[in-house]
Amino acid sequence: MEKSCTLLIHFDKGTPAIANEIKEALEGNDVSAKVDAMKKAIMLLLNGETLPQLFITIVRYVLPSEDHTVQKLLLLYLEIIEKTDAKGRVLPEMILICQNLRNNLQHPNEYIRGVTLRFLCRLNETEIIEPLIPSVLQNLEHRHPFIRRNAILAVMSIYKLPQGDQLLVDAPDMIEKVLSTEQDPSAKRNAFLMLFTCAQERATNYLLTHVDRVSEWGELLQMVVLELIRKVCRTNRGEKAKYIKIIIALLNSPSTAVIYECAGTLVSLSSAPSAIKAAANTYCQLLLSQSDNNVKLIVLDRLNELKSSHRDVTVDLIMDVLRALSSPNLDIQRKTLDIVLELITPRNINEVVLLLKKEVVKTQTGELEKNGEYRQMLIQAIHSCAIKFPEVASTVVHLLMDFLGDSNVASAIDVVVFVREIIETNPKLRVSIITRLLDTFYQIRAARVCSCALWIIGEYCLSLSEVESAIATIKQCLGDLPFYSASEEGEATDASKKTPQASSITISSRRPAVLADGTYATQSAASETAFSPPTIVQGSLASGNLRSLLLTGDFFLGAVVACTLTKLVLRLEEVQPSKVEVNKATTQTLLILVSMLQLGQSHVLPHPIDNDSYDRIVLCMRLLCNTGDEIRKIWLQSCRQSFVKMLSEKQLRETEELKAKAQVSHAQPDDLIDFYHLKSRKGMSQLELEDEVQDDLKRATGEFVKDADDANKLNRILQLTGFSDPVYAEAYVTVHHYDIVLDVTVINRTKETLQNLCLELATMGDLKLVERPQNYTLAPESSKQIKANIKVSSTETGVIFGNIVYETSNVLERTVVVLNDIHIDIMDYISPAVCSDTAFRTMWAEFEWENKVAVNTVIKDEKEFLNHIIKSINMKCLTAPSALDGECGFLAANLYAKSVFGEDALVNLSIEKQADGKLSGYIRIRSKTQGIALSLGDKITLKQKGGS
């Protein structure tokens, strides 16, 4: 990828010494030296040097050369030198090369003839080309196809010149004759392309005349035929019926490129279900037959577009699309699952889930590096299926619970979150899920998975047997108490050294003793003993996960264990008639909680227990000692009610997103309505009838209404020069994904002809000009439309700047008019998107670029400021509306957007209302690339004041 250069290196490239060296080498007889000299001369010319002294030398010593490399370099030299003077007239010395070009066009060597014909395609000077036309036309009938195909291109380029139709009046007739007799596929393609470009009616007539033989034509010609069909149907939609038959015939072409273009053309021209189905089948065929991952991704993009506009047709192909999961590429697998999840219906859900289950099982046995990530994607897909269609949950939940102890923590988290949601939405599965969870709980090794599983156990163990099993399972996973012990070592000290008085005084007292490592321990005076430091009791191998996690200092998990045991004991009081059993469970639970607090306050672990976890565990101890009805209700009912509310909000949010994605279109009251059954069907095929119906439906629902009105277009016009400048220019900027098109209107406001007018543009940022600027001649008070294409390679605010340069007959020097800068807005590249909270947190931790913007605004309401920021930077608020309710003076929200290049933009807004009513806080932006973080930060700084 090209980068802008910020380093200038001094090089005397145009000194006479170098020009003289080139001249001497060209005058010599050494062919290799001539080749090197010509290459140097061409490089100097490309870098802005003129080297006028070399022209005569090249005419004298290089033109007569028979070497093919020298001749090719000569043609490159002739292509880039200036051939006209300041007034646009051809230089007199250019006549010297005409005879050489004529000789080359009649040269016995086919290569010399061919490259010379190709060179003529790049000439724009009529005075040079006119004497060569007879020789060009003779080459149309040459025996060698290389010469014929280049001769056709030369004729096309000559005919396209401003006066070309006068130089070659009967060119379309000649090329049509050539086309009817030509056998070479490339020459035939060039001939058809010439008719398509210069005489479209002739190309259309030829195509319709030979419509039965189109499938026999070569791949290159078929591609041009499809381009012609698209162009004709775009200008006249009424004629598309006769061309769709040709496209459907080409769908059986052996060329994959042709059938891909056919499918795209078919979708763009027809809405008939049979046509869409044919295109979708073609894409599925390409998806399975092509081994190139890039091709697969492109085809999946086309299927995704097809799914958006023709979902009913693509639903039937869901199993064919799923076969793409056989690819080991994660991007292909992810894109395939995204498409499939939106095509699921009650008819195909069982087949899809069965295939996904098989893929999950494969990930256990496979040896691929990214099996864990693929398994996580499959689990998320199954989760989504089970939420949409709860009846399939019973077939997958037990299989997925085997992965609670997965080494891939993200995958295990997805499973436990899935289980948590299913157990609430499918009450019939509660008993079986709890039983399976208690059986597999000891396999869980991740703290976050343990926390969620413990919450499920605490909330959904309802019967006496379930509660008792749950308490027993947790106790087993915690192991024997205490979590650490101080083992006694050493020998008793000599009691005779003590005085009787001292002994009598200290029999019942305890005093500190200094240990070997400098710490203190207390001992009885009657039996002085040296103590060793306290050591952790690891427990048996069977008492696994919870104990090992606690002994690493994870006291958040300890607090979750305390809450779960407390809930279970409170529920045991409701379901257990025996008070003795309840008291026994309460006592054991209190012992566990005290042991955790002792472990947290001991010196065994490098870090003591945190205050939040300590307070939580102490609260649980107080509840177990003294429980009121209100507290019991909060612990046993309110938590679950909050979870149910969270699920309902999530479902509501997903429903709103689906509505937002749906196409909103309205028909006007006076729009035309066609009645399908009253139409004449004479001469219409079934495909044409279907197309008519679909067009009527679109017209009735307003789908043909234009997306953008003229007022929006006017907003995108930028003035580039002042009204008092001799040349006025304005640009209409169109941003479409990776392309920026500048449609620049240049108006000559003077009474003089402007010669060699050139629009010179340069870019800053990840923008790249696609083509070199051309020179134009502008008559007095006339205008010219100039198009400039710019490629975009990343989401970054770019700047396009430049000037207009021109010459007049009165002034010898070139005049320069500097243009206003065009700022390409980052908002054109990013769009609101949705991701899960887990994915957001994962990306937030991974992304290295952060831009921190301090809040500085006149807005005084927190929610109003949040809505203003969302509107200004075109992002989606991931924080649920319920979390933003209330008036507490604080607000924290997460925003997310995705760029057209697949880049993620994360924003966290944290604000607080001060005593004086003003808002303070920070807006943090994180992304994988620096450009998007900086650009969004600049946009927020500009917009946050509260202006429009």
Side-chain angles (χ1 to χ4, degrees):
M1 190 166 57
E2 291 186 8
K3 298 285 185 182
S4 56
C5 178
T6 56
L7 178 66
L8 297 177
I9 302 174
H10 176 68
F11 172 54
D12 293 328
K13 55 188 178 184
T15 56
I18 293 179
N20 291 334
E21 289 175 11
I22 295 173
K23 189 175 181 181
E24 289 176 8
L26 293 176
E27 290 174 353
N29 295 322
D30 187 357
V31 174
S32 60
K34 279 188 178 183
V35 169
D36 291 339
M38 286 297 294
K39 287 181 179 178
K40 286 180 183 177
I42 291 169
M43 290 300 295
L44 289 170
L45 286 166
L46 289 175
N47 280 287
E49 297 296 326
T50 53
L51 303 178
Q53 66 272 33
L54 287 182
F55 182 77
I56 299 301
T57 304
I58 288 173
V59 169
R60 290 180 59 190
Y61 297 101
V62 179
L63 280 184
S65 175
E66 293 291 329
D67 184 79
H68 289 182
T69 306
V70 172
Q71 285 295 323
K72 183 68 181 288
L73 291 170
L74 171 64
L75 294 175
L76 288 175
Y77 169 81
L78 295 176
E79 182 183 340
I80 60 179
I81 60 172
E82 288 289 340
K83 304 174 189 68
T84 56
D85 57 15
K87 296 183 180 181
R89 295 190 294 261
V90 175
L91 296 170
E93 57 265 29
M94 288 297 122
I95 304 302
L96 298 173
I97 67 170
C98 283
Q99 184 60 39
N100 175 262
L101 292 175
R102 188 185 294 110
N103 294 339
N104 282 355
L105 291 174
Q106 298 169 356
H107 200 282
N109 185 279
E110 289 87 355
Y111 176 77
I112 298 293
R113 281 199 190 200
V115 294
T116 307
L117 286 165
R118 180 60 64 91
F119 164 73
L120 293 181
C121 296
R122 299 180 179 89
L123 279 183
N124 297 319
E125 289 73 26
T126 308
E127 292 86 343
I128 300 175
I129 290 175
E130 189 172 3
L132 305 176
I133 288 177
S135 301
V136 172
L137 297 179
Q138 287 176 8
N139 284 306
L140 288 173
E141 300 174 356
H142 195 275
R143 59 182 177 80
H144 202 287
F146 176 70
I147 294 173
R148 293 200 302 274
R149 73 177 73 131
N150 283 304
I152 293 168
L153 290 177
V155 169
M156 180 173 73
S157 63
I158 293 170
Y159 192 79
K160 285 166 68 178
L161 291 174
Q163 299 175 359
D165 53 347
Q166 298 173 13
L167 296 175
L168 285 170
V169 180
D170 54 349
D173 289 328
M174 287 188 292
I175 297 300
E176 193 171 8
K177 290 177 184 176
V178 170
L179 181 60
S180 59
T181 58
E182 184 58 65
Q183 299 299 318
D184 179 66
S186 296
K188 200 165 187 175
R189 176 258 181 196
N190 290 352
F192 190 82
L193 180 64
M194 189 274 172
L195 292 180
F196 165 41
T197 309
C198 304
Q200 188 173 308
E201 287 186 10
R202 290 176 182 267
T204 306
N205 292 334
Y206 180 82
L207 174 62
L208 296 176
T209 307
H210 300 82
V211 68
D212 297 330
R213 299 182 59 191
V214 173
S215 56
E216 302 171 8
W217 291 351
E219 174 187 348
L220 297 173
L221 184 53
Q222 288 176 346
M223 296 288 277
V224 181
V225 166
L226 290 171
E227 193 176 342
L228 171 67
I229 290 173
R230 280 196 295 269
K231 186 175 181 181
V232 170
C233 294
R234 210 176 288 128
T235 54
N236 188 358
R237 294 187 64 87
E239 295 186 4
K240 67 180 179 181
K242 63 176 81 167
Y243 295 106
I244 286 179
K245 296 175 184 176
I246 300 174
I247 299 171
I248 292 177
L250 288 178
L251 282 174
N252 299 318
S253 170
S255 167
T256 53
V258 170
I259 62 174
Y260 173 78
E261 287 295 329
C262 277
T265 306
L266 203 55
V267 172
S268 65
L269 297 184
S270 174
S271 301
S274 55
I276 300 301
K277 191 168 185 179
N281 280 322
T282 302
Y283 285 138
C284 289
Q285 176 189 338
L286 289 171
L287 188 61
L288 301 174
S289 62
Q290 297 302 302
S291 57
D292 190 333
N293 287 340
N294 292 321
V295 174
K296 286 178 182 285
L297 288 169
I298 292 169
V299 171
L300 285 169
D301 284 336
R302 300 292 82 77
L303 281 169
N304 194 29
E305 293 169 4
L306 212 57
K307 173 211 66 183
S308 304
S309 52
H310 304 280
R311 185 179 183 275
D312 295 339
V313 177
T314 48
V315 160
D316 297 332
L317 302 171
I318 188 169
M319 298 311 292
D320 291 328
V321 176
L322 271 172
R323 290 166 67 186
L325 290 177
S326 58
S327 170
N329 184 278
L330 278 179
D331 292 329
I332 293 172
Q333 292 166 340
R334 185 179 293 109
K335 198 164 279 192
T336 302
L337 289 173
D338 289 343
I339 293 171
V340 165
L341 288 178
E342 295 188 31
L343 295 177
I344 293 173
T345 63
R347 286 186 303 155
N348 58 33
I349 180 64
N350 290 322
E351 287 182 277
V352 172
V353 170
L354 183 63
L355 190 143
L356 294 178
K357 283 168 63 179
K358 288 179 181 177
E359 289 295 316
V360 170
V361 174
K362 283 182 190 176
T363 60
Q364 288 178 286
T365 56
E367 297 179 356
L368 296 175
E369 292 180 8
K370 298 186 177 179
N371 263 349
E373 293 179 52
Y374 180 39
R375 182 159 59 244
Q376 184 185 354
M377 285 193 290
L378 290 170
I379 290 168
Q380 290 171 348
I382 292 173
H383 184 178
S384 179
C385 293
I387 299 304
K388 289 180 183 176
F389 301 94
E391 62 272 12
V392 302
S394 59
T395 64
V396 295
V397 67
H398 297 299
L399 171 69
L400 294 186
M401 287 179 76
D402 291 336
F403 296 98
L404 284 172
D406 196 348
S407 56
N408 183 357
V409 178
S411 177
I413 291 171
D414 286 334
V415 171
V416 78
V417 169
F418 168 64
V419 171
R420 185 182 67 181
E421 195 163 343
I422 291 301
I423 200 172
E424 173 58 40
T425 55
N426 291 262
K428 294 179 182 178
L429 299 176
R430 186 191 65 79
V431 176
S432 61
I433 289 176
I434 285 295
T435 305
R436 187 64 181 272
L437 183 58
L438 293 175
D439 290 341
T440 57
F441 185 79
Y442 70 93
Q443 299 175 355
I444 302 174
R445 297 293 168 191
R448 289 177 63 188
V449 182
C450 275
S451 300
C452 193
L454 285 168
W455 186 88
I456 295 170
I457 291 169
E459 289 293 333
Y460 295 97
C461 286
L462 303 179
S463 66
L464 176 61
S465 60
E466 288 171 352
V467 172
E468 289 176 342
S469 298
I471 293 174
T473 300
I474 294 173
K475 282 172 62 180
Q476 183 184 358
C477 291
L478 287 171
D480 299 330
L481 300 178
F483 293 108
Y484 77 100
S485 67
S487 57
E488 296 182 359
E489 292 180 353
E491 299 175 35
T493 56
D494 188 359
S496 60
K497 295 181 181 177
K498 305 280 181 192
T499 61
Q501 291 82 1
S503 297
S504 64
I505 293 171
T506 58
I507 282 174
S508 59
S509 69
R510 302 175 70 84
R511 60 192 174 124
V514 181
L515 302 179
D517 61 353
T519 58
Y520 289 93
T522 56
Q523 63 179 358
S524 173
S527 55
E528 285 182 287
T529 308
F531 287 87
S532 62
T535 56
I536 291 174
V537 179
Q538 294 293 348
S540 63
L541 293 173
S543 61
N545 50 357
L546 290 182
R547 187 183 191 90
S548 59
L549 290 169
L550 279 174
L551 294 178
T552 60
D554 190 345
F555 286 101
F556 175 77
L557 178 61
V560 175
V561 171
C563 293
T564 303
L565 286 172
T566 304
K567 286 181 184 177
L568 291 172
V569 171
L570 293 177
R571 191 162 281 118
L572 188 64
E573 293 177 5
E574 295 180 350
V575 297
Q576 173 61 267
S578 172
K579 294 293 182 183
V580 175
E581 293 297 326
V582 174
N583 291 338
K584 182 180 176 182
T586 304
T587 307
Q588 291 173 342
T589 300
L590 285 169
L591 184 60
I592 292 171
L593 302 189
V594 170
S595 297
M596 282 195 287
L597 290 178
Q598 283 182 335
L599 176 65
Q601 293 177 330
S602 70
H603 299 287
V604 176
L605 301 177
H607 302 289
I609 186 171
D610 58 284
N611 292 333
D612 290 339
S613 300
Y614 178 86
D615 293 342
R616 191 74 170 160
I617 295 172
V618 170
L619 175 63
C620 292
M621 293 170 65
R622 287 176 178 166
L623 287 175
L624 290 172
C625 296
N626 184 14
T627 309
D629 291 338
E630 284 298 320
I631 298 295
R632 184 187 300 276
K633 184 179 178 182
I634 291 171
W635 277 70
L636 296 183
Q637 296 178 20
S638 298
C639 291
R640 190 164 168 185
Q641 290 169 0
S642 298
F643 178 60
V644 171
K645 185 180 178 184
M646 185 191 85
L647 289 181
S648 61
E649 285 179 353
K650 178 184 173 187
Q651 191 173 3
L652 182 64
R653 197 159 64 240
E654 290 173 352
T655 307
E656 289 174 354
E657 287 164 11
L658 289 174
K659 287 181 181 177
K661 284 182 182 178
Q663 186 176 6
V664 179
S665 51
H666 304 284
Q668 297 301 318
D670 57 347
D671 282 352
L672 174 70
I673 296 177
D674 289 327
F675 290 94
Y676 166 64
H677 293 286
L678 301 180
K679 278 189 174 183
S680 172
R681 304 188 188 184
K682 290 182 180 179
M684 295 181 72
S685 65
Q686 182 62 31
L687 185 66
E688 293 173 63
L689 290 172
E690 289 178 12
D691 219 15
E692 288 288 332
V693 174
Q694 293 298 320
D695 284 352
D696 291 346
L697 286 173
K698 286 184 179 180
R699 197 174 289 110
T701 56
E703 198 171 319
F704 285 153
V705 176
K706 291 182 180 178
D707 294 333
D709 55 9
D710 295 335
N712 287 335
K713 289 185 177 180
L714 288 173
N715 291 336
R716 304 194 66 86
I717 293 178
L718 302 173
Q719 184 179 336
L720 300 181
T721 61
F723 291 114
S724 59
D725 287 320
V727 174
Y728 175 76
E730 62 182 21
Y732 175 63
V733 184
T734 306
V735 179
H736 182 70
H737 291 247
Y738 295 87
D739 300 302
I740 298 174
V741 179
L742 296 183
D743 197 349
V744 183
T745 303
V746 180
I747 302 174
N748 179 6
R749 304 179 67 235
T750 66
K751 301 292 185 181
E752 299 177 346
T753 300
L754 305 183
Q755 299 168 347
N756 293 331
L757 184 141
C758 179
L759 174 67
E760 297 178 347
L761 295 175
T763 59
M764 280 179 60
D766 284 341
L767 306 175
K768 179 182 175 184
L769 283 166
V770 175
E771 53 205 11
R772 294 174 62 190
Q774 295 182 2
N775 290 342
Y776 302 94
T777 300
L778 212 55
E781 299 182 353
S782 65
S783 63
K784 181 74 178 176
Q785 298 281 96
I786 303 174
K787 281 198 174 183
N789 293 314
I790 294 166
K791 286 287 181 186
V792 187
S793 56
S794 75
T795 311
E796 185 177 342
T797 299
V799 180
I800 304 170
F801 56 93
N803 47 55
I804 292 176
V805 183
Y806 61 89
E807 299 172 352
T808 58
S809 56
N810 298 337
V811 183
L812 297 176
E813 295 181 357
R814 305 190 80 183
T815 306
V816 178
V817 178
V818 180
L819 306 178
N820 289 333
D821 296 346
I822 301 173
H823 294 265
I824 303 301
D825 196 350
I826 187 176
M827 295 301 104
D828 293 320
Y829 303 133
I830 69 171
S831 56
V834 180
C835 72
S836 65
D837 292 338
T838 307
F840 186 92
R841 285 194 295 269
T842 303
M843 288 188 287
W844 188 268
E846 289 177 355
F847 290 173
E848 56 186 8
W849 290 105
E850 177 176 301
N851 191 3
K852 187 176 178 182
V853 180
V855 172
N856 181 16
T857 180
V858 296
I859 300 173
K860 294 189 176 181
D861 182 72
E862 304 97 307
K863 290 177 188 171
E864 183 186 345
F865 180 68
L866 172 64
N867 293 331
H868 175 68
I869 292 294
I870 291 171
K871 183 179 177 182
S872 299
I873 59 177
N874 196 25
M875 299 187 86
K876 173 76 175 176
C877 182
L878 300 182
T879 307
S882 59
L884 302 174
D885 286 344
E887 299 291 337
C888 63
F890 297 91
L891 187 144
N894 292 332
L895 314 180
Y896 179 65
K898 210 171 181 68
S899 75
V900 294
F901 311 103
E903 298 168 321
D904 301 289
L906 313 178
V907 173
N908 173 259
L909 176 78
S910 300
I911 52 176
E912 174 188 3
K913 182 175 277 190
Q914 301 290 338
D916 58 358
K918 292 184 178 179
L919 297 180
S920 67
Y922 291 97
I923 302 170
R924 289 179 175 84
I925 306 134
R926 285 198 183 181
S927 67
K928 192 174 280 187
T929 57
Q930 183 185 22
I932 194 169
L934 294 176
S935 301
L936 269 179
D938 294 342
K939 189 75 177 178
I940 290 172
T941 304
L942 186 67
K943 293 281 188 178
Q944 68 168 321
K945 291 284 186 182
S948 58

